[in-house]
Amino acid sequence: MTGFTRLCSLADLPENLRGACVAIGNFDGLHRGHQSIVAALRARAEAADVPALMLTFEPHPRDVFAPAPFMFRLTQGDAKARLAQAMGLDGIIILPFDKAFSQNEAEVFVETMLVEQLGVRSVIVGADFHFGRQRRGTPAFLRAAGERLGFDVEILDLMDESDEPISSSRIRAALSEGAVTAANRLLGYHWFFEGCVVKGDQRGRELGFPTANTMTPAGFQLAQGVYAVRARLGDRLLDGVAAYGKPMFDNQLPPFETHLFDFDEDIYGQTLAVALVGHIRGQEVFSGLDELMAAMDRDASKARDLLANATPVSPVDARLGFFA
C-alpha cells in the first residue's frame, strides 16, 4: 500500500493520477457491497494499467440538508481514507460537499470534474447513485454521458446477505442494537472509529478502572452498553473493555470510555482508534458501587476471553492494523 494519495480538491490532482478508473459515491461504511464496487474498479484499472481512485464527499449530503447533523455516520473522512488504502486503491478524493456544490448541474459534474479535471477512463457506480442538482444525474444519465464523452460506465447492483441488500442503513441499525457481530459481518471488517482522548470525570479511576475517554460525534447512535475492544494508539495495539453511556450517573452526551488492560499512561490529547470486537451486555443500573464494580470485573474477564480469540474477518480487516 505504497503511494496512496489523499486529496480534497481536483485542482491538486497529480498528473500521474489522471486517466484513472474512478468509483464514485458516498460510501458510508465502505461495507461489503461497496467493496464489490472497489473490486470491480481494481480489476478494470489493472487491466487498463491505470490508477484506481475513489471519489467521495464530506460531509454526507443528508447532513448538509438537515437542520442539524443527524445521521449515524459509519465512517468519517479519515476512516474512509484508511479503508480505501487497505483495499488497495491508489488514492481517494474527498470533495467538500455543501449546498453550493449541490447546485452543480449533472452536466457540469460530468464535463468539468470527471472529464476536464480527472480525465477519467472509466467510472463505476452503484445502482442507487445520483448526483447533481435535484439529483438529475442518474446511472442511466451517466452512462449516456460516457458514451458521448468517451469514458466507460459500469453500474453495479447491491450485494445481498440473507435475502437483503447489504446497506449502510442496515449496518447502522445493527450497531444501534448492539449487534456487533452482525455489523462486522456486513462490513467485512471490525467497525472502528477514532477520537482525541479527553479528560473525563475521573470516576473510573476512583473505581479501579481508569478509562481513556473519547467524545462521540453528533449522530452517534451505537447502543449504550459494554464492549470488548481492540485499540490502536500510534503503532501500539491495546486490548480493553469499553462502556458507552452512564445509566447510574449523568447520561447526557456520554463519551466512549475505554479501559485499556495493563496500561497506565497519560495519553490526553492523543488520538485513539477503537475497533469493536464484541458486545458484552447492555446498560444496567446497579444497586450500589459494590455491585457495579463486581459487574465491571466480570465484563473485563469476558472481554479478555473474546479478545484472546479475535481474528481478522477479511484481508481488508487485517490490513487496517488492529491485529498483529
Side-chain angles (χ1 to χ4, degrees), residues 200-224:
D201 55 20
Q202 306 290 299
R203 189 171 281 114
R205 184 171 295 277
E206 293 171 4
L207 298 176
F209 280 84
T211 58
N213 299 342
T214 51
M215 299 309 297
T216 54
F220 195 78
Q221 294 173 17
L222 177 68
Q224 295 195 10

Side-chain angles (χ1 to χ4, degrees), residues 280-292:
I280 295 174
R281 62 173 173 85
Q283 286 289 24
E284 300 176 30
V285 176
F286 300 98
S287 60
L289 291 181
D290 288 343
E291 187 177 349
L292 171 61

Side-chain angles (χ1 to χ4, degrees), residues 31-37 39 156-167 170 185-186:
H31 52 64
R32 286 171 44 216
H34 296 142
Q35 289 168 42
S36 67
I37 295 176
L156 298 181
D157 292 328
L158 296 176
M159 180 182 289
D160 291 341
E161 167 83 13
S162 301
D163 299 322
E164 290 185 65
I166 296 176
S167 66
R170 186 178 174 193
R185 184 185 70 251
L186 295 170

